[in-house]
Amino acid sequence: EAGVVQSPRYKIIEKKQPVAFWCNPISGHNTLYWYLQNLGQGPELLIRYENEEAVDDSQLPKDRFSAERLKGVDSTLKIQPAELGDSAVYLCASSLSLVTNEQFFGPGTRLTVL
Amino acid sequence: AQSVTQPDIHITVSEGASLELRCNYSYGATPYLFWYVQSPGQGLQLLLKYFSGDTLVQGIKGFEAEFKRSQSSFNLRKPSVHWSDAAEYFCAVGAQAGTALIFGKGTTLSVSS
């Protein structure tokens, strides 16, 4: 069974530039999460989707961050414009929410903003 | 509010020695508890989980954890550490299925020869 796929794995951009991250969850997992992991910290939720609906986006900085999950499968997280403080690892996870809260994580995208 | 505390930022253990990583949580109801491991440049891999039932749970790679409700703890143990166990370990707590996990800040494990 394929795991959670994320791309790109690494991204380096200049501040004020836009950037996008892509996530493909495990097949059949209806819940998708985007987490932010700063250096030396545990992951923190940015947004959670149930199918195509964003059910928890309270921690998403909506002035510069946006996300979508078209057709309830793949998801894209965008930052525009990026700031120096956005340098972090962006993790995508998925779960089969009707069963357990066991979440499966992708390898993450490491963003560096210069 | 839900929270997870991992008191030890960094632990060094000799190869072959036993290991215990501490985790304390704050949660209003019976929590779902998890331990994840993260190697450099990698995502998080689930080691084990507790939902209900037997309070001693077995996981992958020879790890186990014990849920102690009275102490609000979920400590991770391994009887004999291998050099490949060097990594970052995260304890997490969650509510019912489909909700976000709350993570601790992690414990970095180094293994000396």
Side-chain angles (χ1 to χ4, degrees):
Chain A
E1 177 181 280
V4 176
V5 179
Q6 290 188 248
S7 69
R9 291 293 311 278
Y10 305 91
K11 188 74 175 179
I12 301 174
I13 61 172
E14 300 282 338
K15 63 181 180 181
K16 300 185 181 180
Q17 294 300 305
V19 65
F21 314 125
W22 177 80
C23 173
N24 180 245
I26 293 173
S27 178
H29 283 194
N30 57 325
T31 306
L32 184 146
Y33 315 75
W34 283 102
Y35 287 88
L36 167 68
Q37 185 177 21
N38 286 305
L39 187 64
Q41 302 292 317
E44 298 176 337
L45 181 74
L46 286 172
I47 189 167
R48 173 169 66 94
Y49 282 92
E50 290 287 346
N51 300 305
E52 65 275 10
E53 180 183 2
V55 295
D56 184 357
D57 63 356
S58 58
Q59 301 304 309
L60 189 72
K62 298 179 183 63
D63 57 335
R64 298 184 300 107
F65 286 65
S66 64
E68 61 182 10
R69 191 184 183 195
L70 300 177
K71 300 181 180 179
V73 182
D74 295 1
S75 177
T76 301
L77 178 68
K78 298 178 181 178
I79 308 175
Q80 184 171 8
E83 297 179 353
L84 295 177
D86 296 331
S87 295
V89 176
Y90 293 81
L91 294 165
C92 180
S94 69
S95 70
L96 188 58
S97 65
L98 295 179
V99 179
T100 71
N101 207 359
E102 180 175 345
Q103 299 179 18
F104 296 84
F105 284 79
T109 296
R110 180 175 297 277
L111 173 67
T112 301
V113 182
L114 302 176
Chain B
Q2 304 169 36
S3 66
V4 175
T5 301
Q6 294 181 246
D8 304 306
I9 297 174
H10 190 187
I11 285 181
T12 299
V13 176
S14 299
E15 190 168 16
S18 63
L19 168 71
E20 182 169 31
L21 301 182
R22 295 182 292 165
C23 172
N24 293 97
Y25 66 90
S26 173
Y27 193 71
T30 300
Y32 289 13
L33 293 160
F34 306 84
W35 275 99
Y36 284 87
V37 61
Q38 186 177 36
S39 297
Q42 303 298 313
L44 280 73
Q45 180 184 21
L46 181 68
L47 286 175
L48 46 77
K49 58 187 181 288
Y50 172 78
F51 298 139
S52 63
D54 192 348
T55 57
L56 183 64
V57 293
Q58 302 297 320
I60 63 172
K61 304 184 179 184
F63 286 93
E64 67 177 25
E66 186 171 12
F67 170 59
K68 292 186 177 180
R69 184 188 301 275
S70 62
Q71 298 177 21
S72 297
S73 69
F74 189 56
N75 294 348
L76 181 71
R77 300 194 293 251
K78 187 170 184 178
S80 178
V81 169
H82 188 262
W83 64 267
S84 61
D85 293 325
E88 187 89 13
Y89 290 80
F90 293 95
C91 181
V93 63
Q96 70 271 17
T99 60
L101 296 180
I102 305 298
F103 286 85
K105 293 187 176 182
T107 297
T108 301
L109 174 65
S110 297
V111 180
S112 61
S113 57

